[in-house]
Short mmCIF file of all heavy atoms in Angstrom, two decimals:
data_model
loop_
_atom_site.label_atom_id
_atom_site.label_comp_id
_atom_site.label_asym_id
_atom_site.label_seq_id
_atom_site.Cartn_x
_atom_site.Cartn_y
_atom_site.Cartn_z
N PHE A 22 -12.94 15.37 -4.00
CA PHE A 22 -13.00 15.27 -2.54
C PHE A 22 -11.71 14.79 -1.86
O PHE A 22 -11.67 14.70 -0.64
CB PHE A 22 -14.14 14.33 -2.14
CG PHE A 22 -15.50 14.89 -2.43
CD1 PHE A 22 -16.23 14.45 -3.52
CD2 PHE A 22 -16.04 15.89 -1.63
CE1 PHE A 22 -17.49 14.97 -3.80
CE2 PHE A 22 -17.30 16.43 -1.90
CZ PHE A 22 -18.02 15.97 -2.99
N LYS A 23 -10.66 14.51 -2.62
CA LYS A 23 -9.40 14.10 -1.98
C LYS A 23 -8.82 15.23 -1.14
O LYS A 23 -8.41 15.04 0.00
CB LYS A 23 -8.40 13.66 -3.04
CG LYS A 23 -7.06 13.22 -2.48
CD LYS A 23 -6.20 12.58 -3.54
CE LYS A 23 -5.69 13.59 -4.57
NZ LYS A 23 -4.70 14.54 -3.97
N ARG A 24 -8.74 16.40 -1.71
CA ARG A 24 -8.29 17.61 -1.03
C ARG A 24 -7.01 17.38 -0.23
O ARG A 24 -6.06 16.79 -0.72
CB ARG A 24 -9.42 18.17 -0.17
CG ARG A 24 -10.68 18.46 -0.99
CD ARG A 24 -11.76 19.15 -0.24
NE ARG A 24 -12.95 19.34 -1.07
CZ ARG A 24 -14.05 19.96 -0.65
NH1 ARG A 24 -14.12 20.44 0.58
NH2 ARG A 24 -15.08 20.09 -1.47
N ASP A 25 -7.00 17.86 1.03
CA ASP A 25 -5.79 17.72 1.85
C ASP A 25 -5.94 16.60 2.88
O ASP A 25 -5.29 16.60 3.92
CB ASP A 25 -5.46 19.04 2.56
CG ASP A 25 -6.58 19.49 3.50
OD1 ASP A 25 -7.68 18.89 3.44
OD2 ASP A 25 -6.36 20.43 4.28
N ARG A 26 -6.77 15.64 2.58
CA ARG A 26 -7.00 14.53 3.50
C ARG A 26 -5.86 13.51 3.44
O ARG A 26 -5.08 13.49 2.49
CB ARG A 26 -8.33 13.83 3.16
CG ARG A 26 -9.52 14.75 3.22
CD ARG A 26 -10.69 14.20 2.44
NE ARG A 26 -11.62 13.45 3.27
CZ ARG A 26 -12.79 12.98 2.85
NH1 ARG A 26 -13.15 13.16 1.59
NH2 ARG A 26 -13.58 12.32 3.66
N LEU A 27 -5.80 12.68 4.45
CA LEU A 27 -4.91 11.52 4.44
C LEU A 27 -5.71 10.39 3.79
O LEU A 27 -6.70 9.93 4.34
CB LEU A 27 -4.51 11.15 5.88
CG LEU A 27 -3.34 10.18 6.09
CD1 LEU A 27 -2.98 10.14 7.56
CD2 LEU A 27 -3.66 8.77 5.60
N VAL A 28 -5.29 9.97 2.61
CA VAL A 28 -6.03 8.98 1.83
C VAL A 28 -5.20 7.70 1.72
O VAL A 28 -4.01 7.75 1.40
CB VAL A 28 -6.36 9.50 0.42
CG1 VAL A 28 -7.16 8.46 -0.37
CG2 VAL A 28 -7.12 10.83 0.50
N VAL A 29 -5.83 6.56 1.98
CA VAL A 29 -5.16 5.27 1.80
C VAL A 29 -6.08 4.38 0.96
O VAL A 29 -7.25 4.19 1.31
CB VAL A 29 -4.86 4.57 3.14
CG1 VAL A 29 -4.09 3.28 2.89
CG2 VAL A 29 -4.07 5.49 4.07
N VAL A 30 -5.54 3.87 -0.15
CA VAL A 30 -6.30 3.00 -1.04
C VAL A 30 -5.65 1.62 -1.04
O VAL A 30 -4.47 1.48 -1.34
CB VAL A 30 -6.32 3.55 -2.48
CG1 VAL A 30 -7.16 2.65 -3.38
CG2 VAL A 30 -6.84 4.98 -2.52
N ALA A 31 -6.42 0.60 -0.69
CA ALA A 31 -5.94 -0.78 -0.71
C ALA A 31 -6.55 -1.48 -1.92
O ALA A 31 -7.77 -1.58 -2.03
CB ALA A 31 -6.33 -1.51 0.57
N SER A 32 -5.69 -1.92 -2.84
CA SER A 32 -6.23 -2.55 -4.04
C SER A 32 -5.10 -3.20 -4.83
O SER A 32 -3.92 -2.89 -4.66
CB SER A 32 -6.90 -1.48 -4.93
OG SER A 32 -7.39 -2.05 -6.13
N ASN A 33 -5.48 -4.12 -5.72
CA ASN A 33 -4.52 -4.67 -6.69
C ASN A 33 -4.92 -4.27 -8.11
O ASN A 33 -4.44 -4.85 -9.08
CB ASN A 33 -4.42 -6.20 -6.57
CG ASN A 33 -5.77 -6.88 -6.68
OD1 ASN A 33 -6.76 -6.27 -7.09
ND2 ASN A 33 -5.83 -8.15 -6.32
N VAL A 34 -5.80 -3.26 -8.22
CA VAL A 34 -6.23 -2.73 -9.52
C VAL A 34 -5.61 -1.36 -9.70
O VAL A 34 -5.88 -0.44 -8.92
CB VAL A 34 -7.77 -2.64 -9.59
CG1 VAL A 34 -8.21 -2.06 -10.93
CG2 VAL A 34 -8.40 -4.01 -9.38
N ALA A 35 -4.80 -1.18 -10.73
CA ALA A 35 -3.99 0.03 -10.88
C ALA A 35 -4.82 1.31 -10.93
O ALA A 35 -4.42 2.34 -10.36
CB ALA A 35 -3.13 -0.09 -12.13
N VAL A 36 -5.98 1.27 -11.59
CA VAL A 36 -6.76 2.49 -11.72
C VAL A 36 -7.26 3.00 -10.37
O VAL A 36 -7.47 4.19 -10.19
CB VAL A 36 -7.96 2.27 -12.69
CG1 VAL A 36 -9.01 1.34 -12.06
CG2 VAL A 36 -8.60 3.59 -13.09
N ASP A 37 -7.42 2.10 -9.41
CA ASP A 37 -7.91 2.49 -8.09
C ASP A 37 -6.98 3.46 -7.39
O ASP A 37 -7.43 4.35 -6.65
CB ASP A 37 -8.08 1.26 -7.19
CG ASP A 37 -9.23 0.37 -7.61
OD1 ASP A 37 -9.90 0.68 -8.60
OD2 ASP A 37 -9.46 -0.64 -6.92
N PHE A 38 -5.67 3.30 -7.60
CA PHE A 38 -4.70 4.09 -6.84
C PHE A 38 -3.74 4.86 -7.74
O PHE A 38 -2.67 5.30 -7.30
CB PHE A 38 -3.91 3.20 -5.88
CG PHE A 38 -3.25 2.00 -6.51
CD1 PHE A 38 -2.07 2.13 -7.22
CD2 PHE A 38 -3.81 0.74 -6.38
CE1 PHE A 38 -1.45 1.03 -7.80
CE2 PHE A 38 -3.19 -0.38 -6.95
CZ PHE A 38 -2.01 -0.23 -7.67
N ALA A 39 -4.10 5.08 -9.01
CA ALA A 39 -3.21 5.77 -9.94
C ALA A 39 -2.85 7.18 -9.46
O ALA A 39 -1.78 7.70 -9.79
CB ALA A 39 -3.86 5.84 -11.32
N PHE A 40 -3.71 7.80 -8.68
CA PHE A 40 -3.47 9.17 -8.20
C PHE A 40 -2.59 9.22 -6.96
O PHE A 40 -2.21 10.32 -6.52
CB PHE A 40 -4.81 9.84 -7.89
CG PHE A 40 -5.58 9.16 -6.80
CD1 PHE A 40 -5.45 9.56 -5.48
CD2 PHE A 40 -6.45 8.11 -7.08
CE1 PHE A 40 -6.15 8.94 -4.46
CE2 PHE A 40 -7.16 7.48 -6.07
CZ PHE A 40 -7.01 7.90 -4.77
N CYS A 41 -2.28 8.09 -6.37
CA CYS A 41 -1.53 8.07 -5.10
C CYS A 41 -0.06 8.43 -5.32
O CYS A 41 0.57 7.96 -6.26
CB CYS A 41 -1.63 6.69 -4.45
SG CYS A 41 -3.30 6.26 -3.90
N GLN A 42 0.47 9.26 -4.41
CA GLN A 42 1.88 9.66 -4.50
C GLN A 42 2.82 8.61 -3.93
O GLN A 42 3.96 8.48 -4.36
CB GLN A 42 2.11 10.98 -3.75
CG GLN A 42 1.27 12.14 -4.25
CD GLN A 42 0.04 12.41 -3.40
OE1 GLN A 42 -0.62 11.46 -2.95
NE2 GLN A 42 -0.26 13.67 -3.14
N GLU A 43 2.35 7.87 -2.92
CA GLU A 43 3.19 6.88 -2.25
C GLU A 43 2.59 5.48 -2.43
O GLU A 43 1.37 5.33 -2.35
CB GLU A 43 3.32 7.19 -0.76
CG GLU A 43 3.89 8.57 -0.44
CD GLU A 43 5.37 8.65 -0.74
OE1 GLU A 43 6.02 7.58 -0.80
OE2 GLU A 43 5.88 9.77 -0.90
N LYS A 44 3.44 4.50 -2.66
CA LYS A 44 2.95 3.13 -2.87
C LYS A 44 3.73 2.14 -2.00
O LYS A 44 4.94 2.28 -1.83
CB LYS A 44 3.06 2.73 -4.34
CG LYS A 44 2.16 3.56 -5.26
CD LYS A 44 2.28 3.14 -6.71
CE LYS A 44 1.25 3.87 -7.57
NZ LYS A 44 1.45 5.31 -7.60
N MET A 45 3.01 1.17 -1.46
CA MET A 45 3.61 0.16 -0.60
C MET A 45 2.99 -1.19 -0.92
O MET A 45 1.76 -1.29 -1.06
CB MET A 45 3.37 0.51 0.87
CG MET A 45 3.95 -0.48 1.86
SD MET A 45 3.57 0.00 3.58
CE MET A 45 2.01 -0.84 3.82
N SER A 46 3.79 -2.22 -1.06
CA SER A 46 3.28 -3.57 -1.28
C SER A 46 3.25 -4.31 0.05
O SER A 46 4.27 -4.41 0.74
CB SER A 46 4.17 -4.33 -2.27
OG SER A 46 3.77 -5.69 -2.34
N ILE A 47 2.10 -4.83 0.40
CA ILE A 47 1.98 -5.58 1.66
C ILE A 47 2.83 -6.85 1.61
O ILE A 47 3.25 -7.38 2.66
CB ILE A 47 0.50 -5.91 1.95
CG1 ILE A 47 0.27 -6.14 3.45
CG2 ILE A 47 0.02 -7.08 1.13
CD1 ILE A 47 0.31 -4.88 4.27
N LEU A 48 3.13 -7.33 0.41
CA LEU A 48 3.93 -8.54 0.27
C LEU A 48 5.35 -8.34 0.81
O LEU A 48 5.98 -9.31 1.26
CB LEU A 48 4.00 -8.97 -1.20
CG LEU A 48 2.71 -9.51 -1.82
CD1 LEU A 48 2.94 -9.89 -3.28
CD2 LEU A 48 2.16 -10.68 -1.03
N ASP A 49 5.85 -7.12 0.76
CA ASP A 49 7.19 -6.86 1.29
C ASP A 49 7.27 -7.18 2.78
O ASP A 49 8.32 -7.60 3.28
CB ASP A 49 7.58 -5.40 1.08
CG ASP A 49 7.80 -5.06 -0.39
OD1 ASP A 49 8.02 -6.01 -1.18
OD2 ASP A 49 7.75 -3.87 -0.74
N TYR A 50 6.16 -7.01 3.46
CA TYR A 50 6.14 -7.24 4.90
C TYR A 50 5.71 -8.66 5.24
O TYR A 50 5.90 -9.12 6.36
CB TYR A 50 5.24 -6.20 5.57
CG TYR A 50 5.78 -4.81 5.31
CD1 TYR A 50 5.30 -4.07 4.24
CD2 TYR A 50 6.79 -4.29 6.09
CE1 TYR A 50 5.82 -2.81 3.96
CE2 TYR A 50 7.31 -3.03 5.83
CZ TYR A 50 6.82 -2.30 4.76
OH TYR A 50 7.35 -1.06 4.49
N LYS A 51 5.17 -9.36 4.27
CA LYS A 51 4.91 -10.79 4.46
C LYS A 51 6.21 -11.56 4.29
O LYS A 51 6.46 -12.53 4.99
CB LYS A 51 3.86 -11.29 3.45
CG LYS A 51 2.49 -10.67 3.67
CD LYS A 51 1.49 -11.16 2.65
CE LYS A 51 0.97 -12.53 3.02
NZ LYS A 51 0.14 -12.53 4.23
N LYS A 52 7.06 -11.11 3.38
CA LYS A 52 8.36 -11.76 3.17
C LYS A 52 9.20 -11.65 4.44
O LYS A 52 9.81 -12.61 4.89
CB LYS A 52 9.09 -11.12 2.00
CG LYS A 52 8.47 -11.39 0.64
CD LYS A 52 9.19 -10.64 -0.45
CE LYS A 52 8.52 -10.85 -1.80
NZ LYS A 52 9.16 -10.04 -2.87
N LYS A 53 9.20 -10.45 5.02
CA LYS A 53 9.97 -10.26 6.25
C LYS A 53 9.43 -11.15 7.36
O LYS A 53 10.16 -11.71 8.15
CB LYS A 53 9.90 -8.79 6.68
CG LYS A 53 10.63 -7.84 5.76
CD LYS A 53 10.47 -6.40 6.21
CE LYS A 53 11.17 -5.44 5.25
NZ LYS A 53 11.00 -4.03 5.68
N SER A 54 8.10 -11.29 7.38
CA SER A 54 7.48 -12.14 8.40
C SER A 54 7.92 -13.59 8.22
O SER A 54 8.26 -14.28 9.16
CB SER A 54 5.95 -12.03 8.30
OG SER A 54 5.31 -12.96 9.11
N THR A 55 7.89 -14.06 6.95
CA THR A 55 8.26 -15.45 6.68
C THR A 55 9.72 -15.71 7.02
O THR A 55 10.07 -16.72 7.62
CB THR A 55 8.01 -15.76 5.19
OG1 THR A 55 6.63 -15.55 4.91
CG2 THR A 55 8.36 -17.21 4.88
N GLN A 56 10.59 -14.78 6.65
CA GLN A 56 12.01 -14.93 6.93
C GLN A 56 12.28 -14.97 8.43
O GLN A 56 13.07 -15.75 8.91
CB GLN A 56 12.78 -13.77 6.28
CG GLN A 56 12.79 -13.85 4.76
CD GLN A 56 13.30 -12.58 4.11
OE1 GLN A 56 13.62 -11.60 4.81
NE2 GLN A 56 13.42 -12.60 2.81
N ALA A 57 11.55 -14.09 9.16
CA ALA A 57 11.72 -14.06 10.60
C ALA A 57 11.28 -15.37 11.23
O ALA A 57 11.91 -15.89 12.17
CB ALA A 57 10.94 -12.90 11.21
N SER A 58 10.20 -15.95 10.70
CA SER A 58 9.70 -17.21 11.24
C SER A 58 10.69 -18.33 10.99
O SER A 58 10.89 -19.20 11.85
CB SER A 58 8.35 -17.56 10.58
OG SER A 58 7.39 -16.58 10.88
N LYS A 59 11.35 -18.32 9.81
CA LYS A 59 12.31 -19.37 9.50
C LYS A 59 13.51 -19.32 10.43
O LYS A 59 14.07 -20.32 10.82
CB LYS A 59 12.75 -19.23 8.06
CG LYS A 59 11.69 -19.65 7.04
CD LYS A 59 12.20 -19.50 5.63
CE LYS A 59 11.14 -19.97 4.62
NZ LYS A 59 11.60 -19.82 3.22
N LYS A 60 13.91 -18.08 10.80
CA LYS A 60 15.07 -17.91 11.68
C LYS A 60 14.79 -18.47 13.07
O LYS A 60 15.65 -18.92 13.75
CB LYS A 60 15.44 -16.44 11.77
CG LYS A 60 16.05 -15.90 10.48
CD LYS A 60 16.39 -14.42 10.62
CE LYS A 60 16.97 -13.88 9.32
NZ LYS A 60 17.29 -12.44 9.42
#
């Protein structure tokens, strides 16, 4: 059922998103947030 849909999987379990072509860590944007707050 994935087909040509826009699919987003949020998880920290590798098997959940093994089929995904693109990967993003939300932590990368928490770091930026923390750095911005310190400034």
Side-chain angles (χ1 to χ4, degrees):
F22 292 103
K23 180 170 71 69
R24 303 187 183 182
D25 60 350
R26 302 160 94 173
L27 194 171
V28 181
V29 184
V30 182
S32 178
N33 55 13
V34 179
V36 70
D37 289 1
F38 53 78
F40 62 92
C41 294
Q42 301 100 320
E43 302 288 340
K44 295 181 173 63
M45 180 181 90
S46 172
I47 204 73
L48 291 180
D49 291 340
Y50 300 94
K51 294 179 80 68
K52 291 176 183 176
K53 292 177 182 180
S54 171
T55 300
Q56 291 168 357
S58 297
K59 287 180 178 179
K60 289 179 181 179

